[in-house]
Amino acid sequence: MDNTQTRSLTLIGAGLAGSLLAILLSQRGWRITVYERRGDPRIKGYESGRSINLALAERGRHALRAAGAEAAVMAQAVMMRGRMVHPLDAPPQLQRYGRDDSEVIWSIHRADLNITLLELAERAGARIHFHRRLHTVDFEARYARFIDDRDDQPHDIHFDSLVGTDGAGSALRAAMNRKSPLGERIEFLDHSYKELEIPPAADGGFRIEGNALHIWPRGRYMCIALPNAGGTFTVTLFLPNEGRPSFASVNTGAEARALFAKDFPDALPLIPHLQQDWEAHPPGLLGTLYLDRWHLGGRAVVLGDAAHAMVPFHGQGMNCAFEDCVALADALDAHPDLAAAYAAFQAGRQQDAAAIQQMALENYLEMRDRVDDANFLLQRQLEQALQARWPTRFVPHYTMVTFLRTPYAIALARSAVQRTILVEATRGRHDLSAIDWTALERIVHERLPVLAGAH
Ligand SMILES: Cc1cc2nc3c(=O)[nH]c(=O)nc-3n(C[C@H](O)[C@H](O)[C@H](O)COP(=O)(O)OP(=O)(O)OC[C@H]3O[C@@H](n4cnc5c(N)ncnc54)[C@H](O)[C@@H]3O)c2cc1C
């Protein structure tokens, strides 16, 4: 194949996955050119329709480490030790995510992260062209047309192979699908989200606990808040699209204020611009994208959200996309033929992507409905006790997904076994005083082999 001589790839989209992949591949000697629809965020400020900050976990950090980008990113991150759960009628309480401060997640500003990665990609030798929106592709002749949305002018290029890191609405995926159906299916959630902001305190610090992910669970819906390095919090309200309350029933800023006064009274005084922001920001859609085939021979491949967008409730979309970048770079190392490399990449990642998509959907129910429920709390207590006794066998679901790099499909399967153990052992109990630890030891050893990486 021609790629062994040229080793050149054209990336579509310089978002999170595109900029990280550009670093990884440039470092490995590929000639990388990236085309990005938006303007350069270093020149004109960051335009993004969504999620201002993101939770970064071990999978993402591992990929950043592989690219030599971890230190620069972590310098801007805020530690989140656990969930600060705000019940309606009781004071907030911190539920730690892990055993100690070595098991935490990190809040990172999307724009800061993207800019850091873009800088490093250019430094590694990648060429990034902004204001280039992929418009059409001729896969036979290997020509792609981009549009500059400022003047509607077309720009045509020749490519060896295209890599789609252009997100959930991927134009490359659409072009590939037109050429040869990829088996695409999108399931929209019947809930959407809206972002608001808690400004810093007068002294520049946080107005509520800074080292936590705040959650206001309210059954069918919830509000969350993640800290930013400058003392602000990005607040995200997730609501159904229909019914009461919903994005259909809460339209005006005044109606939003009334909803907060009733359901999130401790958050309301923290969000001074609630009414204006409510009216200025349209709700964001949430969905899961399933794709049977991620590549078109050796001519094009998609990854990250372009291949498997998911709902955000496990905070793993970016982390998973970053894992994809390392997996694709490894597959390209192992297979000189591009079609073989893309096929190996898909084979290695597809099952795991499907598993985290499923876990992300399940986690919405846990966050909005279960985190303040007595059964859930007792099960969590037992989970921690089982982990303390048999740390290499009983590894909590959240730990496998967030603090380890256990393949997502294995985490999904083991979590199902563990959930059954937790439910059975706590059924009809209010505390752990009468737990039969000997029986549990046998069950844990029978059903849960030692997990690689657990300690
Ligand atoms: C509300 C919300 C909260 C989230 N929270 C988290 C979290 O806490 N942790 C986490 O890990 N993940 C989170 N995610 C998921 C995360 O945002 C995505 O998984 C991640 O951004 C995927 O990266 P990507 O590079 O594949 O796509 P994107 O980041 O969307 O990047 C795509 C890039 O392609 C460009 N582009 C698009 N179309 C074209 C075109 N035609 N031509 C050229 N360029 C194009 C875009 O401008 C963009 O720069 C969240 C998502 C949402 C919606």
Side-chain angles (χ1 to χ4, degrees):
M1 279 284 291
D2 52 0
N3 60 293
T4 50
Q5 288 118 44
T6 61
R7 287 178 69 84
S8 105
L9 288 173
T10 301
L11 274 49
I12 312 297
L16 302 182
S19 49
L20 181 67
L21 186 65
I23 304 173
L24 288 167
L25 294 180
S26 300
Q27 287 172 344
R28 292 173 194 216
W30 288 83
R31 202 167 68 237
I32 298 298
T33 314
V34 193
Y35 293 90
E36 165 58 47
R37 174 180 69 180
R38 296 174 307 190
D40 186 339
R42 294 163 295 187
I43 298 169
K44 61 184 297 255
Y46 195 75
E47 323 155 26
S48 165
R50 67 205 177 115
S51 89
I52 290 151
N53 55 20
L54 302 148
L56 174 68
E58 176 54 23
R59 291 168 204 272
R61 287 187 67 179
H62 181 261
L64 292 170
R65 221 170 280 145
E70 191 191 20
V73 171
M74 292 308 290
Q76 304 162 323
V78 180
M79 181 201 278
M80 297 188 290
R81 292 195 168 90
R83 300 165 166 163
M84 184 69 82
V85 178
H86 297 248
L88 194 51
D89 303 317
Q93 245 190 337
L94 183 73
Q95 295 175 9
R96 254 193 185 279
Y97 285 129
R99 287 173 288 194
D100 54 40
D101 277 358
S102 69
E103 295 182 332
V104 297
I105 55 174
W106 299 85
S107 177
I108 179 85
H109 201 266
R110 186 186 286 271
D112 293 346
L113 173 60
N114 207 162
I115 287 172
T116 301
L117 295 179
L118 286 172
E119 295 274 3
L120 292 174
E122 283 186 343
R123 222 176 290 161
R127 293 177 55 207
I128 305 173
H129 302 278
F130 295 93
H131 295 294
R132 294 287 181 271
R133 174 172 57 82
L134 180 69
H135 181 255
T136 38
V137 184
D138 180 338
F139 290 102
E140 296 304 326
R142 297 188 196 241
Y143 272 93
R145 168 160 292 187
F146 296 87
I147 304 291
D148 183 335
D149 285 324
R150 293 169 302 181
D151 56 11
D152 283 337
Q153 285 304 303
H155 297 266
D156 293 341
I157 62 140
H158 180 260
F159 63 86
D160 291 330
S161 183
L162 298 178
V163 181
T165 46
D166 50 347
S170 172
L172 178 58
R173 187 181 73 236
M176 290 161 66
N177 198 42
R178 275 194 293 276
K179 170 87 182 145
S180 168
L182 303 173
E184 174 183 305
R185 191 160 51 88
I186 301 174
E187 284 180 9
F188 285 102
L189 200 66
D190 45 9
H191 292 226
S192 300
Y193 71 97
K194 200 172 272 231
E195 288 182 331
L196 304 163
E197 192 188 71
I198 298 177
D203 66 358
F206 292 110
R207 298 183 70 191
I208 47 177
E209 169 57 45
N211 290 119
L213 189 157
H214 294 259
I215 307 187
W216 289 260
R218 295 296 181 262
R220 289 180 60 241
Y221 50 99
M222 68 172 183
C223 201
I224 65 170
L226 273 71
N228 294 305
T232 61
F233 281 87
T234 303
V235 177
T236 312
L237 175 69
F238 296 92
L239 270 190
N241 295 332
E242 302 290 336
R244 277 186 181 276
S246 71
F247 283 113
S249 72
V250 183
N251 285 303
T252 63
E255 286 165 346
R257 202 185 153 75
L259 172 73
F260 271 76
K262 180 171 155 291
D263 285 334
F264 311 107
D266 60 329
L268 179 60
L270 304 171
I271 312 174
H273 305 299
L274 184 125
Q275 292 188 223
Q276 299 92 303
D277 286 353
W278 186 272
E279 289 177 4
H281 304 165
L285 296 179
L286 298 167
T288 307
L289 164 80
Y290 303 96
L291 207 59
D292 291 342
R293 214 151 42 75
W294 293 5
H295 69 109
L296 207 63
R299 287 169 199 225
V301 65
V302 284
L303 59 90
D305 274 15
H308 49 66
M310 64 191 76
V311 295
F313 305 110
H314 227 308
Q316 284 289 314
M318 164 190 65
N319 287 283
C320 178
F322 281 180
E323 247 187 1
D324 282 357
C325 293
V326 176
L328 180 60
D330 288 347
L332 289 166
D333 278 349
H335 303 274
D337 175 66
L338 279 183
Y342 293 167
F345 164 67
Q346 177 183 333
R349 291 296 292 161
Q350 198 167 26
Q351 220 193 346
D352 286 323
I356 185 59
Q357 287 180 313
Q358 182 183 332
M359 293 189 284
L361 282 163
E362 289 169 2
N363 218 46
Y364 188 28
L365 200 64
E366 174 166 323
M367 289 176 83
R368 70 180 207 227
D369 203 28
R370 299 201 62 222
V371 287
D372 58 350
D373 164 290
N375 285 340
F376 173 83
L377 295 174
L378 186 62
Q379 287 169 22
R380 174 75 186 127
Q381 216 184 322
L382 179 60
E383 182 176 60
Q384 286 167 329
L386 293 175
Q387 183 188 24
R389 281 181 155 79
W390 304 293
T392 58
R393 288 180 189 271
F394 202 106
V395 184
H397 164 81
Y398 197 82
T399 300
M400 288 189 283
V401 172
T402 312
F403 308 133
L404 299 178
R405 290 184 296 112
T406 307
Y408 288 122
I410 293 178
L412 175 67
R414 289 183 71 110
S415 296
V417 173
Q418 294 181 168
R419 196 175 310 123
T420 307
I421 295 174
L422 294 174
V423 169
E424 283 171 0
T426 54
R427 186 169 292 135
R429 296 187 195 284
H430 300 292
D431 58 46
L432 302 183
S433 56
I435 291 280
D436 181 349
W437 296 107
T438 315
L440 273 179
E441 176 167 22
R442 202 189 62 247
I443 291 171
V444 165
H445 280 73
E446 261 170 30
R447 299 190 199 167
L448 295 166
V450 167
L451 177 69
H455 54 88

